[in-house]
């Protein structure tokens, strides 16, 4: 439960209080509306912050990927339903907006089953901003406001409602048009098979160096028929001594940064590339649990190093689940990363 996830959960906790101050009779009125407005603004700010913090400090987790968009939908949909109850927003507008969210969620589920990630598009992000602005404007209720200003506020609110509705439809159409291939029946091709085909296509060889996965990456690759032409060797270097002996990881690196570190993963990749003479390599070191984690290096922390020629990269990952799940997630991510690198270099 890192900071971004705490902010996400805080947003969820604010939702019932927002509804209570807006709809429960004893608390209804100008004061209740003002409190509800403040709660909504605070919740909206947490939506802005959690994503920025997660990306900046690499604190992205599976829980966050699931809960963050869900919290956004709960907040916005709850607010819009309240607006209908208070006769501030037409029900048909809310139906269109909510229908869009259900359609996109279902679309993404189909894409995920095909190992396709559909990123949020620009129109979708702008739509979210206008949705929140629309709700804030609908909540603004200033007693005694001059008629001219009151009319201006009404016109502005209606304009934002119209723009929000247009953006909802436009963003939905863009999602469907740009990703129409997702709806066609496709066979789900395992990552290891796609990687093997890519290696064959470009006549490249690959090697692996594994710590926390204990040979699972090599085992997954060798499930593919014909991989022997491209898979040179795999090294399981579980101990620090093995990393020094077979991968030429420097003792100073292990002492200073530890076996589970970006620096060690980088030297593991470099070492296995030099030792094997392969064109590409992937190396992993991490904490699969259930024991061994610390606040600085928790269970699920995995560094995946991958390289091709002189290009060496390392990705810090934070996986969740039991020991087996963390190891399987590491294998899948490692294969995806080296696949992406080859595609990038050979594009």
């Amino acid at each position: 439960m890192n900071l971004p996830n705490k902010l996400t959960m805080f947003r969820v906790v604010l939702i019932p209080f927002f509804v209570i101050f807006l709809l429960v009779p004893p608390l209804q009125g100008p004061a209740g509306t003002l409190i509800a407005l403040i709660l909504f603004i605070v919740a909206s700010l947490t939506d802005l912050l959690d994503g920025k913090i997660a990306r900046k400090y690499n604190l992205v987790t599976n829980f966050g990927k699931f809960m963050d968009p869900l919290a956004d939908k709960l907040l916005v949909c709850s607010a819009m339903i309240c607006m209908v109850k208070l006769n501030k927003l037409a029900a048909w507008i809310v139906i269109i907006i909510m229908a869009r969210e259900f359609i996109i969620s279902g679309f993404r589920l189909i894409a995920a089953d095909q190992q396709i990630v559909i990123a949020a598009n620009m129109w979708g992000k702008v739509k979210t901003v206008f949705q929140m602005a629309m709700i804030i404007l609908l909540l603004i209720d200033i007693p005694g406001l001059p008629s001219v200003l009151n009319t201006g506020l009404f016109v502005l609110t209606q304009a934002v409602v119209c723009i929000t509705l247009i953006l909802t439809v436009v963003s939905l159409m863009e999602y469907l048009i740009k990703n129409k291939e997702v709806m066609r029946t496709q066979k789900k091709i395992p990552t290891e098979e796609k990687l093997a085909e890519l290696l064959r296509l470009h006549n490249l060889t690959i090697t692996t160096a594994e710590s926390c996965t204990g040979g699972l990456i090599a085992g997954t690759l060798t499930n593919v028929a014909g991989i022997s032409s491209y898979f040179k060797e795999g090294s399981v270097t579980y101990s620090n001594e093995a990393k020094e002996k077979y991968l030429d990881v420097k003792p100073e690196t292990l002492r200073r940064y530890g076996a589970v570190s970006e620096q060690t993963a980088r030297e593991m990749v470099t070492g296995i590339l030099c030792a094997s003479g392969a064109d590409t390599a992937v190396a992993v070191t991490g904490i699969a649990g259930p024991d061994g984690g610390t606040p600085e290096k928790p269970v699920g922390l995995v560094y995946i190093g991958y390289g091709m020629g002189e290009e060496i990269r390392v990705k810090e990952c934070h996986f969740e689940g039991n020991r087996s799940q963390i190891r399987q997630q590491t294998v899948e991510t490692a294969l995806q990363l080296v696949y992406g690198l080859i595609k990038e270099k050979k594009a």
Side-chain angles (χ1 to χ4, degrees), residues 16 41 118 126 129 138 177 180 190 270 293:
I41 292 173
I118 300 179
V126 175
V129 172
L138 289 170
I177 292 171
K180 58 181 180 295
T270 303

Side-chain angles (χ1 to χ4, degrees), residues 240 243-244 249-268 285-287 292 294 296-298 301 303 314 316:
N240 287 357
K243 292 179 178 66
E244 294 178 26
V249 176
K250 298 179 181 65
E252 174 61 24
T253 299
L254 294 167
R255 282 195 298 270
R256 184 174 181 182
Y257 302 106
V260 181
S261 65
E262 176 185 346
Q263 294 78 7
T264 297
R266 187 176 298 276
E267 291 187 14
M268 288 174 69
T285 178
I287 304 170
T294 66
E296 294 76 21
K297 295 184 178 182
L301 172 64
Y303 289 94
V314 178
E316 178 182 321

Side-chain angles (χ1 to χ4, degrees), residues 35-101:
I35 294 173
L37 174 61
I38 293 171
L39 290 174
F40 186 83
I41 292 173
V42 171
S44 300
L45 290 175
T46 65
D47 180 32
L48 175 67
L49 287 174
D50 59 7
K52 286 185 176 294
I53 294 172
R55 289 187 293 272
K56 182 176 181 180
Y57 296 101
N58 200 18
L59 296 174
V60 178
T61 63
N62 288 333
F63 178 82
K65 291 177 184 177
F66 166 76
M67 201 65 204
D68 180 52
L70 179 60
D72 296 344
K73 289 177 176 60
L74 286 172
L75 175 64
V76 173
C77 291
S78 297
M80 289 191 298
I81 291 171
C82 289
M83 295 302 102
V84 173
K85 174 68 176 178
L86 296 172
N87 295 317
K88 290 178 176 285
L89 193 61
W92 65 270
I93 294 177
V94 177
I95 291 171
I96 291 175
I97 294 174
M98 291 181 65
R100 184 260 185 203
E101 301 302 332

Side-chain angles (χ1 to χ4, degrees), residues 275-311:
S276 66
D279 301 304
T280 63
V282 61
V284 295
T285 178
I287 304 170
D291 303 317
T294 66
E296 294 76 21
K297 295 184 178 182
V299 169
L301 172 64
V302 177
Y303 289 94
I304 302 175
Y306 54 109
M308 181 177 177
E310 299 297 320
E311 181 78 20

